[in-house]
Amino acid sequence: MAGKRKAGSGNGKSRPPAKKAAAKAPATKATKSTKTARSTKAPNGKPDVLGKNGRPRKPRTRGARIRRVLLYVLLAGLVCVLVACAGFLYLYKTTDLPDPNADFETNTSFVYYDDGKGGQGDQIGQYAVQNRDAISYDQMPQNIKDAVVAAENRTFWSDSGIDYKGIVRALFNNAQGNATQGASTITQQYIKILYLTQERTYTRKLKEAILSLKLGKEVSKQEILEGYLNTIYFGRGAYGIQAAAKAYFEKDAHDLTLQESATLASIINNPSQYNPDAGKDAKKALRERYRYVLSGMASAGKITEDEVKKAGRKLPKFSPGQTDDKYGGQRGHVLSMVKNELTTLTNKETGQPFTESEIDGGGLRITTTFTKKAMDAAEQGVNEVRPEGKQYSDKNLHVGVASVDVATGAVQGMYAGQDYLDSEINWAIAGGQAGSSVKPFSLAAALKAGYSLKDTFDGNSPFELEDGTEIRNEQDTDYGSAVNLLKATEDSINTAFTDLTVSMPDGPQQILEMMNKMGIPPNKGPGKHYGFPRASAGLDPYPSITLGSATISPINLANAYATIANGGRFHEPFIIEKVTSKDGEVLYDHSESDQQVIDKEQGADIAADVSYALQQVVQQGTGTAALGLGRPAAGKTGTATNDKDQVDSAWFTGYTPQLATSVMYVRGKGNEQLDGWLPSYFGGDYPADTWTDIMKRDMEGVEVEDFPPPANVDGDAPEDGHAPTLPPKPTKSPTPTHSPSETGKPTKTPTQVPTPTQTPTTEVPPPPTSTPPPPTPPTPTDTCGILGCGTPTPTPSSTTSPSAGRAMALPAFWNRMRW
């Protein structure tokens, strides 16, 4: 039917095919689906990132992220390496090698007195001026070349001048916070000697590496080894192999044997540690190093195993070390002592102890604590008082003296004994058995434990220990069963101090600890080790400790007495105030520190009471010779016996409020008989007279100061039966051994002492060394003593020898006894 319209064609046009319409529908859905995908989130809560194709990008894995970080680090590291290489190359190109002949110069180090005001005073002396005699490579024996390479750098002939493995090892060690290490080849050592300082820093190591590479490229290995062997320090003041051959073996370098060459090559590593003159331990260390060198030479095919076996049996024979005249007199002892102490002190520039090469040739300026006034006083005082006669020469009779500043611990004066060129033994350090000089430390321990100076102990002789051992006073003098500690100190009563020691709980140990705190270093083992020397042979916690069986040096004893004078405050003794470079840079500066050591609460009071007791020793006890000083003084006598029951040492140690001085007399090897040989062996004679003469010179121009009054410390005694009481009169009276001369000075002749057949058993006091001058009228505070007002200190009856009771150390049987 024409004219009819089809359904759905409102405009008369035909509709699109159904397939096309259907095709559009999915497209619409796809669009919506895409929009929905953009708004979805990944499981981790973060929106997905679309890739280039419009689809979500997969998140990176942990491994992928790590690889990317590593890539960035690698790239950054590569850039740093390139920059470092460029910088190193620039420095290498622009750095010129200096002229060794113009630049190698050993600078003399100088040692100075303290000027008395804390500054640098007059020069004491100087260390080795360069001893160097250069020889050519051909003049050097092949053995020394091979030995040095085996000892110091076994890859020398093949390396580039730098030990890369060693540098890495040193860097790794340093990064762990350990001590800065070196990693030096012979070339690096040579460069360091010629052009650089001993400073252990990375900057110096970089310069060293650059110069070493440059030297290795521009100079032959033979020339490097020749220069090294002509400049390295061998000890004994010798720089270079020719000087070393002369110093150690008195021959030219070309005549050195295999043993001698290997020995010198061994010493190079550490001339101080491997010094054959420094005793058994040093020789043992040198022997081990020596065998290492021989083994290295064999490994390199330079010598045979048979040669190693034959040469390794023993070290070669050394010639005696030549001592320079500048070490004559007491000067040599001071210079030697200062050098030894420097090797224990840290150089601020290097962070390491000063080396022998630095000390001898580093241009150091060393200010000591010694003053010229105190050194002269010690020497002049000894020479003024010591007995005359060939038998009493320095070779036989040894006098050791030390003076220590009370306020700081500085050792100001010293007399070491004989001329250093005759003997290097320093008796101010070597010391001897101190005898009754140690009783003040027992007294301090007793006061700390709760006793007082008024408490009493058994003064009768003998006193029997639990094991049956008998302790006696000289000539078996009885002072009564209840003698107070003040009296026991004045007259140095052996039995009372032994009773005191065993009455305190763990008494010997308490006394040892008190001695250690106050300035006496212990024997081997625990405790503070300091001083000169840093140990006291025989100082062990036995009852004999209170009577001085240990070996103690005058320096340490003077310092311990200085602790008493300083109110119980202790300083470590020291001898070096400051060290500077030749340019004025401070390389070491002593730092003072002190501490109250007797007791935190009552230390000063205990020290005041001990000091009061020691003043009574001078006023009316065994040390009246010290009254000649003419100013307030405190001190203690002491003598000791050897294993043959012979008197082998005599002491007087005392102090003013400013200075403590100890004087010791010994004979021969330090333990030989004085009684029957020395005109008088009592501590109150020659030692006390010497002390007085020295202190007069020391205290000239120094203001007079008084000691603090006694504090009358009185605590809870650890044991009953020692309550204060008036001591009875002695029940025995010893026969006087000699009498004072008309002048008031003791008549010091051999007839005054026992004959050699007589054997003393305990310290015997002499008669008063002088007629004491009238004491200064007491002030009102002086009328009250430690035992109460108006009560004078008891003294023996008129029938008692004024010298009785001065206690020596124990007789032989006691010294051999061990509890």
Side-chain angles (χ1 to χ4, degrees):
M1 293 177 14
K4 281 188 177 181
R5 182 184 295 178
K6 292 182 180 180
S9 56
N11 57 4
K13 295 182 179 180
S14 61
R15 292 181 178 183
K19 288 184 178 180
K20 292 182 178 181
K24 290 181 180 180
T28 302
K29 290 179 180 180
T31 302
K32 291 180 179 179
S33 176
T34 301
K35 292 178 179 180
T36 302
R38 288 179 182 277
S39 64
T40 60
K41 293 184 178 181
N44 60 7
K46 296 182 180 179
D48 283 335
V49 180
L50 297 179
K52 294 181 180 179
N53 59 0
R55 294 180 180 180
R57 181 183 299 170
K58 292 181 179 180
R60 291 191 184 93
T61 64
R62 185 170 180 272
R65 290 197 298 271
I66 292 175
R67 285 193 293 274
R68 180 175 289 268
V69 171
L70 290 176
L71 178 61
Y72 290 150
V73 171
L74 181 62
L75 290 174
L78 182 61
V79 171
C80 290
V81 170
L82 292 174
V83 171
C85 289
F88 190 88
L89 183 62
Y90 172 78
L91 291 174
Y92 183 88
K93 292 292 186 183
T94 56
T95 301
D96 294 325
L97 287 173
D99 179 6
N101 292 326
D103 290 306
F104 181 72
E105 179 181 332
T106 299
N107 298 285
T108 302
S109 294
F110 295 94
V111 182
Y112 299 93
Y113 288 113
D114 188 303
D115 64 0
K117 302 176 183 178
Q120 188 179 96
D122 295 338
Q123 180 181 316
I124 298 176
Q126 63 189 54
Y127 291 115
V129 177
Q130 178 186 345
N131 175 17
R132 178 175 176 242
D133 186 6
I135 58 176
S136 69
Y137 186 81
D138 293 336
Q139 291 175 298
M140 298 174 183
Q142 188 61 41
N143 277 336
I144 192 62
K145 303 168 189 173
D146 296 336
V148 168
V149 169
E152 297 296 309
N153 181 194
R154 296 184 177 182
T155 62
F156 171 73
W157 296 108
S158 59
D159 62 39
S160 62
I162 296 179
D163 179 5
Y164 296 103
K165 291 182 180 179
I167 290 176
V168 172
R169 182 173 61 252
L171 289 173
F172 179 75
N173 184 76
N174 299 338
Q176 291 181 315
N178 298 325
T180 308
Q181 285 188 344
S184 296
T185 63
I186 284 177
T187 306
Q188 287 173 279
Q189 291 182 53
Y190 182 46
I191 286 292
K192 181 170 64 175
I193 294 168
L194 290 179
Y195 314 126
L196 304 171
T197 67
Q198 301 295 317
E199 181 183 8
R200 295 194 175 191
T201 63
Y202 296 117
T203 301
R204 201 269 296 161
K205 293 296 290 184
L206 177 61
K207 293 178 181 178
E208 180 184 295
I210 293 172
L211 289 171
S212 297
L213 282 175
K214 201 172 186 69
L215 187 68
K217 294 289 185 182
E218 300 182 11
V219 179
S220 70
K221 289 287 187 178
Q222 288 84 352
E223 290 176 285
I224 293 173
L225 187 57
E226 175 188 327
Y228 177 79
L229 284 171
N230 275 324
T231 56
I232 194 69
Y233 184 64
F234 286 86
R236 285 194 176 182
Y239 291 82
I241 187 60
Q242 176 66 8
K246 292 281 191 181
Y248 285 96
F249 303 112
E250 295 184 348
K251 60 174 62 177
D252 291 320
H254 62 77
D255 293 326
L256 291 172
T257 65
L258 169 61
Q259 287 177 294
E260 293 165 346
S261 294
T263 299
L264 293 178
S266 302
I267 291 173
I268 286 175
N269 184 262
N270 191 323
S272 297
Q273 181 180 350
Y274 302 127
N275 178 7
D277 306 321
K280 292 182 179 179
D281 290 342
K283 273 200 171 182
K284 181 180 178 181
L286 174 59
R287 194 177 297 112
E288 292 175 359
R289 178 74 178 174
Y290 170 70
R291 289 168 180 165
Y292 165 81
V293 172
L294 290 174
S295 176
M297 295 177 72
S299 298
K302 302 301 181 182
I303 59 176
T304 66
E305 289 296 336
D306 287 341
E307 288 177 302
V308 172
K309 185 177 180 180
K310 183 178 179 181
R313 290 173 184 168
K314 61 180 180 179
L315 293 169
K317 185 178 180 180
F318 299 95
S319 63
Q322 297 297 314
T323 307
D324 198 311
D325 286 344
K326 65 178 177 287
Y327 281 77
Q330 296 299 302
R331 184 184 298 111
H333 293 291
V334 172
L335 293 175
S336 176
M337 190 176 175
V338 168
K339 176 181 280 191
N340 291 337
E341 183 67 6
L342 276 172
T343 61
T344 70
L345 303 179
T346 300
N347 182 333
K348 291 182 179 180
E349 182 181 65
T350 65
Q352 301 292 323
F354 290 92
T355 65
E356 187 173 346
S357 58
E358 286 179 296
I359 298 168
D360 276 345
L364 305 179
R365 304 296 184 262
I366 305 153
T367 302
T368 70
T369 60
F370 296 105
T371 68
K372 193 172 189 309
K373 178 182 179 182
M375 288 295 295
D376 289 345
E379 184 170 9
Q380 292 167 9
V382 169
N383 292 333
E384 180 69 23
V385 176
R386 66 181 300 156
E388 298 179 356
K390 187 176 181 180
Q391 64 175 327
Y392 306 123
S393 66
D394 282 338
K395 184 178 180 180
N396 298 313
L397 176 63
H398 310 300
V399 183
V401 176
S403 296
V404 175
D405 180 54
V406 166
T408 65
V411 182
Q412 294 188 344
M414 176 184 73
Y415 185 78
Q418 66 289 330
D419 190 310
Y420 184 82
L421 299 180
D422 295 330
S423 173
E424 296 181 13
I425 297 177
N426 184 336
W427 290 100
I429 296 176
Q433 283 185 291
S436 295
S437 299
V438 305
K439 286 178 179 174
F441 312 120
S442 300
L443 181 59
L447 297 181
K448 181 181 178 181
Y451 292 114
S452 74
L453 288 179
K454 295 180 289 185
D455 286 331
T456 58
F457 296 86
D458 192 349
N460 287 329
S461 180
F463 178 87
E464 187 172 319
L465 296 172
E466 289 183 357
D467 66 353
T469 302
E470 291 186 344
I471 307 302
R472 298 178 180 275
N473 296 325
E474 174 60 25
Q475 298 182 4
D476 270 347
T477 303
D478 287 339
Y479 291 88
S481 60
V483 57
N484 63 59
L485 285 178
L486 185 62
K487 173 68 174 175
T489 305
E490 286 178 15
D491 291 335
S492 197
I493 303 173
N494 283 348
T495 57
F497 271 92
T498 303
D499 185 15
L500 167 67
T501 301
V502 299
S503 296
M504 287 191 293
D506 202 12
Q509 182 63 36
Q510 287 195 50
I511 293 172
L512 188 153
E513 292 175 1
M514 180 61 71
M515 293 176 71
N516 189 208
K517 290 177 181 178
M518 294 178 69
I520 307 299
N523 200 354
K524 296 178 181 179
K528 298 178 181 177
H529 288 265
Y530 48 75
F532 305 92
R534 301 182 188 279
S536 302
L539 186 60
D540 299 309
Y542 303 121
S544 61
I545 192 172
T546 195
L547 301 181
S549 59
T551 298
I552 299 174
S553 75
I555 293 178
N556 290 338
L557 194 57
N559 189 61
Y561 273 56
T563 300
I564 303 172
N566 198 32
R569 302 197 70 82
F570 165 75
H571 291 273
E572 286 190 21
F574 67 104
I575 61 171
I576 298 177
E577 188 69 59
K578 182 185 292 186
V579 180
T580 62
S581 68
K582 61 179 180 179
D583 299 321
E585 179 184 359
V586 176
L587 304 178
Y588 171 82
D589 194 8
H590 177 75
S591 177
E592 289 184 15
S593 62
D594 67 333
Q595 56 181 324
Q596 178 57 250
V597 293
I598 295 180
D599 185 82
K600 290 184 179 179
E601 296 181 357
Q602 291 188 296
D605 290 342
I606 291 173
D609 281 359
V610 174
S611 194
Y612 176 79
L614 296 181
Q615 291 171 65
Q616 306 316 302
V617 172
V618 172
Q619 289 292 327
Q620 53 197 7
T622 60
T624 53
L627 287 171
L629 181 61
R631 63 168 67 207
K636 184 71 184 72
T637 54
T639 55
T641 55
N642 59 22
D643 58 2
K644 298 178 181 178
D645 208 17
Q646 300 166 339
V647 178
D648 65 357
S649 69
W651 296 73
F652 187 82
T653 305
Y655 54 89
T656 66
Q658 300 99 327
L659 189 69
T661 294
S662 183
V663 176
M664 176 195 74
Y665 275 63
V666 293
R667 176 188 178 191
K669 296 180 179 180
N671 60 351
E672 298 180 22
Q673 185 174 3
L674 293 179
D675 53 309
W677 178 78
L678 195 65
S680 173
Y681 62 86
F682 307 114
D685 281 347
Y686 281 111
D689 290 340
T690 304
W691 182 92
T692 303
D693 194 285
I694 292 170
M695 289 293 282
K696 280 182 178 179
R697 301 171 193 271
D698 274 322
M699 304 310 294
E700 185 177 352
V702 178
E703 183 180 355
V704 176
E705 292 186 13
D706 292 319
F707 292 109
N712 302 318
V713 171
D714 192 0
D716 295 327
E719 183 183 73
D720 294 332
H722 300 285
T725 182
L726 290 176
K729 293 183 179 180
T731 58
K732 299 183 201 175
S733 298
T735 303
T737 56
H738 49 276
S739 58
S741 65
E742 295 179 359
T743 61
K745 297 284 289 181
T747 307
K748 299 175 182 175
T749 62
T751 58
Q752 295 174 325
V753 298
T755 63
T757 59
Q758 294 175 297
T759 304
T761 56
T762 50
E763 183 179 73
V764 57
T769 57
S770 61
T771 302
T776 304
T779 61
T781 58
D782 290 330
T783 60
C784 293
I786 198 76
L787 300 179
C789 298
T791 303
T793 302
T795 59
S797 66
S798 59
T799 59
T800 302
S801 167
S803 64
R806 186 178 299 184
M808 294 184 304
L810 298 166
F813 75 88
W814 176 278
N815 289 329
R816 293 194 296 269
M817 188 68 68
R818 290 294 178 264
W819 288 267

